[in-house]
Structures are given as C-alpha cells and as structure tokens.
Amino acid sequence: GTLTNVTFSGGLQQKLERGTTFRLLARVRVAFLNAVVYRNRGTICEAPLQCTPSLNSCPFEPSRYSCHLAVRLPDNIPKGVYSIEAGLYSPDGAPLLCHVADVAFA
C-alpha cells in the first residue's frame, strides 16, 4: 500500500484516560458513490502517534500537541475527493472530538 502522512495539531483541554478510543474513516465521493475506502479504530494510548510534546504514556495531560501518524492506504484507491472523518471517544463512549475534512487525491 501507499504510505500517507497525516499531521494534525490542537489543544487538549481535558485529560485523555486509558481506554479512550479513536475512529478514522475515509470515504470517496465520485458521482453518486460515497464508499468507505479506509477504516481504522483503536485505543489512543496504543496508537502509533508521534507528537510534540511527546505522548509517552497514558493518561495524556491537557496541553497543545502537534502529532503525526503514518497511514498505509491500499494501492488501488481511485483519484478523487475524499471525506476524512476522525472521532475521539471517552472510555464510556461519550464523544470528545469529531472532525471532518475533505482531501483531494490527484
């Protein structure tokens, strides 16, 4: 697959406890098609994030972070505009963050 680098930054206003989960979803929009081409879910404490300041162990303390994640996408992804959905959920399932962004692959 193709290695794609995802970089994001922001301020964390509350502590992220062990058991906090994330969900990443990529959908392609071509004509009337809205198909999921990538899906990933896991616990934030086990995610292969590289952040500044460093996230060495859970829980993650409130601070401003800049993070990098390498994602391997399938080679057969068609060119087009993709909707990327990222969600972060507390250990009891309450939503902490939801972000949607459009990305074009040419």
Side-chain angles (χ1 to χ4, degrees):
T2 303
L3 193 61
T4 301
N5 296 309
V6 179
T7 302
F8 54 95
S9 61
L12 183 60
Q13 296 179 349
Q14 66 187 57
K15 186 186 294 189
L16 294 184
E17 300 290 346
R18 185 170 297 283
T20 299
T21 59
F22 70 89
R23 182 187 71 156
L24 291 174
L25 196 64
R27 297 176 190 270
V28 64
R29 295 186 319 240
V30 179
F32 296 106
L33 178 67
N34 187 9
V36 174
V37 295
Y38 180 80
R39 183 184 319 248
N40 194 356
R41 177 179 284 248
T43 61
I44 197 73
C45 295
E46 297 169 0
L49 294 173
Q50 297 173 345
C51 298
T52 304
S54 179
L55 295 174
N56 291 326
S57 63
C58 271
F60 299 154
E61 296 296 330
S63 184
R64 181 153 184 82
Y65 292 97
S66 179
C67 299
H68 169 83
L69 175 66
V71 177
R72 188 162 302 280
L73 299 175
D75 286 329
N76 58 350
I77 288 180
K79 296 175 183 177
V81 176
Y82 289 78
S83 175
I84 309 298
E85 303 169 20
L88 196 60
Y89 304 90
S90 69
D92 64 0
L96 300 173
L97 172 127
C98 180
H99 184 74
V100 178
D102 288 337
V103 176
F105 284 95

